[in-house]
Amino acid sequence: MKYKKLMFLLGLAIFFSSAAMAQNYKYIGAAKCKMCHNKPDKGEQFNKWEAGPHAKAMETLKGDEKNDPKCLKCHSTAASVDKSLVATIKVDEGVSCESCHGPGSIYKSAAIMKNQKLALSKGMIMPTEEVCIQCHNDESPTFKGFNYDEYVAKIAHDDPTTN
């Protein structure tokens, strides 16, 4: 009986410490990601993002859409998250790295990023179709269908040092 109670309390402690840690994840913005992910030998992920549609997502909004929460939730990472989680990211950055990879304040260091399992434990997300369809869905007035494999290939930005 004491063992079960101890295991239950340990489980609760792990759950609450995980929840508390999750609240520490902050959105830091693409400029912080650029510091490491802009180098040719690493794959220039920042340049690929900057030249792609996600970085320009705010530019596609017109007039009142730029202030409409229904539009901003998918066109701006900073506008789509709880303001208490925003560290240095800006609304006009569009759909930044952290929309797909999770808030980077904890996993951003090279020491953590070189170990994918550790980075995932520190809040990094590996984008999946489920992540993408949170925005690429029929709630959008311009939605014309979404083929995950086709579109993910268009924005691919792998790190050649991890392959």
Side-chain angles (χ1 to χ4, degrees), residues 97-109:
C97 315
E98 294 166 295
S99 280
C100 305
H101 295 287
S105 64
I106 307 294
Y107 69 79
K108 69 180 177 189
S109 75

Side-chain angles (χ1 to χ4, degrees), residues 17-162:
S17 67
S18 295
M21 178 57 101
Q23 294 174 5
N24 290 327
Y25 298 154
K26 303 279 187 184
Y27 289 82
I28 57 174
K32 299 281 187 192
C33 302
K34 179 182 180 179
M35 294 181 346
C36 296
H37 295 283
N38 196 36
K39 300 172 182 164
D41 61 324
K42 294 278 188 171
E44 296 183 288
Q45 297 88 350
F46 178 85
N47 291 341
K48 291 175 184 177
W49 165 78
E50 190 173 46
H54 290 119
K56 297 170 180 58
M58 284 298 292
E59 296 171 20
T60 66
L61 297 179
K62 308 290 184 234
D64 292 339
E65 292 175 336
K66 293 181 184 225
N67 298 310
D68 185 341
K70 289 188 292 183
C71 299
L72 290 174
K73 74 178 184 177
C74 287
H75 285 258
S76 171
T77 303
S80 68
V81 300
D82 186 304
K83 301 301 173 232
S84 70
L85 301 177
V86 173
T88 56
I89 192 171
K90 305 289 186 223
V91 170
D92 62 356
E93 191 170 294
V95 179
S96 74
C97 315
E98 294 166 295
S99 280
C100 305
H101 295 287
S105 64
I106 307 294
Y107 69 79
K108 69 180 177 189
S109 75
I112 293 174
M113 287 294 288
K114 69 181 178 181
N115 179 332
Q116 187 179 67
K117 186 175 179 182
L118 179 59
L120 291 168
S121 76
K122 302 292 185 187
M124 188 175 89
I125 296 169
M126 294 306 292
T128 62
E129 184 171 5
E130 288 74 29
V131 171
C132 298
I133 62 173
Q134 290 177 21
C135 288
H136 295 280
N137 59 53
D138 61 7
E139 286 181 32
S140 168
T142 60
F143 183 70
K144 293 180 176 100
F146 181 73
N147 180 316
Y148 174 77
D149 293 328
E150 177 186 340
Y151 286 107
V152 80
K154 289 181 179 184
I155 63 162
H157 53 276
D158 297 332
D159 181 343
T161 64
T162 62

